[in-house]
Amino acid sequence: MNGKRVTPILRIFDVKKAKEFYVDYLGFKLDWEHRFEDNLPLYMQVSNGNCIIHLSEHHGDCSPGAAIRIEIEDIESFHAVLHSKEYNFARPGLETTPWQTKELTVIDPFSNRIVFFEDRE
């Protein structure tokens, strides 16, 4: 096998809250949305650079409360951008870990934990 990339699927329950968190707050871009029919669950893709996440209202796709790690560059600037936004539900800090990463953790409105990290070695 020659793996190429992993695309996590995270469970969401409210499209408006998901877009507010992932697009408005975290700065991802909405790539596409799909519903099989009107009033059926939404499946969508958001991305930021090479980082792609799928968000799904379908109950069979995944469970809420997942955790993912996303490697980024210049985590201090990303931290400053997040703190400059008026988002009432998250004020993440920066942590330097014993394994030599700098990390910023946010929890989305659906209990999914996202750890952004920068390797400090």
Side-chain angles (χ1 to χ4, degrees):
M1 180 182 90
N2 184 15
K4 293 188 125 193
R5 101 177 106 173
V6 174
T7 303
I9 304 170
L10 300 177
R11 183 80 153 90
I12 62 170
F13 301 100
D14 182 308
V15 173
K16 182 179 176 191
K17 285 183 181 179
K19 289 178 181 178
E20 179 184 27
F21 182 80
Y22 286 95
V23 176
D24 299 339
Y25 180 58
L26 293 182
F28 281 75
K29 125 182 123 120
L30 178 61
D31 296 326
W32 49 261
E33 298 178 328
H34 177 266
R35 289 182 196 271
F36 286 103
E37 294 178 18
D38 290 342
N39 298 319
L40 288 181
L42 179 70
Y43 192 92
M44 65 181 163
Q45 176 176 298
V46 295
S47 65
N48 189 322
N50 292 324
C51 179
I52 294 172
I53 300 174
H54 286 188
L55 304 172
S56 179
E57 287 186 305
H58 295 266
H59 73 275
D61 283 346
C62 48
S63 298
I68 63 172
R69 294 175 54 81
I70 301 172
E71 185 173 8
I72 65 172
E73 295 177 356
D74 197 6
I75 198 164
E76 288 90 0
S77 292
F78 182 58
H79 180 255
V81 167
L82 292 184
H83 275 260
S84 72
K85 295 184 178 184
E86 292 183 25
Y87 185 75
N88 295 331
F89 306 106
R91 301 289 293 166
L94 279 174
E95 174 189 6
T96 301
T97 67
W99 47 90
Q100 300 305 310
T101 61
K102 197 157 233 187
E103 300 187 357
L104 178 156
T105 301
V106 293
I107 299 175
D108 78 3
F110 320 103
S111 299
N112 297 303
R113 184 168 34 109
I114 305 165
V115 178
F116 294 94
F117 72 95
E118 183 174 21
D119 194 352
R120 304 304 268 182
E121 289 185 26

